[in-house]
Amino acid sequence: EEGLKTIVVNYNPETVSTDYDESDRLYFEELSLERILDIYEAENSSGVIVSVGGQIPNNLAIPLQENNAKVLGTPPTSIDRAENRNKFSSMLDRLHIDQPAWDELKTIESATEFCDRVGYPVLVRPSYVLSGDAMRVVPDREQLIEYMSQSSVISFEHPVVVSKFIENAKELEYDGVAKDGVVINYAISEHVENAGVHSGDATVLLPAQKLYVETSRQIKRMAIQIAKELNISGPFNIQFMARENEIKVIECNLRASRTFPFISKTFDFNFIDLA
């Protein structure tokens, strides 16, 4: 619409097979830092958008910025604050936004000590992973030790955040678009299954059917605070858990979520165009 040429980089032809004409040029290449920088330089690009490609582009935001690529939209430092479980949880504490009891842990011993204190079940979450990937709800001490003994789960270089898992809670999703930290549109959807079922497997209702007015009000207030604090410009998704009127934040993804097409079709309003 503004006469700017667009380039899409995608390693999966199937995802663009029906919309191959959405961009001026399409590269079937791996989403690696080296390859993206090659294309960025070869095309003399004026910027790169990482908020519509899932988890991998989010992981590349900081490295791209460090290599002098201009990342458009939400600042890479804000993406890092949302992806890094410790930084994000610390931010919520500072904003007085409720979340399950948590701690960043680097050893199995410290993890078992924390879990014995808060009680099981617990949720183990590595940083910079696709929501649900390598994330595990652990019901007891024995399974915690077994899971965290895997070499890829925990290390001093890559600690995990372990939080108390709230049972019998409803999971809610807030999909929004913001500009310079101000929310300009949003939708709240409700999972049929209780919290703990990955959103990719869950059944989602839109608009939410069984929400207290106070629950909706709290979710909107928290989302506005988070968007402002992270200076979000573009699409984002926040997952909440609710039991009665007690609302807690699970996580925030500073990118278009899998529910963006769903809410756009339901409301007959293209959220990505707005983003």
Side-chain angles (χ1 to χ4, degrees):
E1 293 178 359
E2 297 183 6
L4 300 174
K5 290 187 176 181
T6 57
I7 300 165
V8 169
V9 184
N10 195 311
Y11 62 85
N12 183 1
E14 195 59 36
T15 59
V16 288
S17 61
T18 57
D19 296 298
Y20 55 85
D21 56 351
E22 283 294 301
S23 61
D24 294 284
R25 192 165 296 173
L26 174 63
Y27 283 86
F28 289 123
E29 291 285 356
E30 64 180 4
L31 297 181
S32 65
L33 176 63
E34 181 181 12
R35 197 58 59 237
I36 299 301
L37 287 174
D38 285 345
I39 296 171
Y40 186 87
E41 293 169 4
E43 294 286 353
N44 194 26
S45 301
S46 57
V48 58
I49 297 173
V50 300
S51 59
V52 291
Q55 187 63 45
I56 296 175
N58 260 22
N59 293 356
L60 292 175
I62 291 288
L64 284 169
Q65 184 183 54
E66 291 174 345
N67 283 273
N68 300 316
K70 183 179 181 180
V71 178
L72 303 176
T74 303
T77 50
S78 293
I79 295 174
D80 179 62
R81 290 174 68 195
E83 290 289 343
N84 184 298
R85 306 292 181 182
N86 181 44
K87 291 180 182 178
F88 183 66
S89 293
S90 298
M91 182 193 80
L92 293 182
D93 284 344
R94 189 173 65 257
L95 295 175
H96 304 292
I97 294 176
D98 201 10
Q99 61 183 315
W102 69 279
D103 201 357
E104 182 185 53
L105 304 165
K106 298 181 179 180
T107 66
I108 295 176
E109 291 74 20
S110 60
T112 54
E113 180 181 337
F114 170 79
C115 296
D116 288 343
R117 185 169 72 252
V118 301
Y120 292 89
V122 295
L123 182 66
V124 183
R125 298 177 293 165
S127 296
Y128 275 99
V129 297
L130 179 67
S131 175
D133 187 25
M135 196 179 294
R136 184 75 59 84
V137 177
V138 180
D140 54 47
R141 199 174 201 266
E142 181 180 350
Q143 291 192 39
L144 175 72
I145 294 173
E146 178 183 349
Y147 175 57
M148 297 191 70
S149 295
Q150 300 174 25
S151 59
S152 61
V153 174
I154 189 171
S155 68
F156 276 93
E157 293 77 21
H158 299 96
V160 298
V161 168
V162 180
S163 56
K164 172 66 178 173
F165 181 74
I166 310 299
E167 296 183 276
N168 301 315
K170 182 189 297 291
E171 184 164 340
L172 304 162
E173 294 200 45
Y174 180 105
D175 286 293
V177 177
K179 182 178 181 180
D180 299 324
V182 178
V183 176
I184 53 180
N185 206 352
Y186 70 92
I188 300 174
S189 54
E190 172 189 1
H191 288 202
V192 172
E193 298 84 0
N194 282 344
V197 177
H198 183 243
S199 57
D201 301 317
T203 306
V204 179
L205 294 176
L206 183 73
Q209 299 296 301
K210 298 179 180 179
L211 276 192
Y212 295 114
V213 173
E214 177 60 21
T215 296
S216 179
R217 189 188 69 79
Q218 288 187 57
I219 287 174
K220 294 174 187 177
R221 175 182 58 79
M222 293 177 183
I224 288 172
Q225 285 181 275
I226 291 171
K228 181 179 179 180
E229 179 68 21
L230 293 175
N231 193 27
I232 299 174
S233 285
F236 67 101
N237 167 274
I238 307 175
Q239 295 169 21
F240 296 88
M241 62 171 62
R243 192 166 65 180
E244 301 300 329
N245 272 324
E246 185 180 4
I247 315 299
K248 298 180 187 291
V249 171
I250 301 174
E251 66 178 1
C252 175
N253 297 303
L254 299 189
R255 53 180 169 80
S257 70
R258 57 177 55 83
T259 46
F260 252 66
F262 176 55
I263 64 173
S264 295
K265 290 178 180 179
T266 304
F267 288 148
D268 194 25
F269 183 88
N270 196 326
F271 274 62
I272 285 297
D273 274 355
L274 183 63

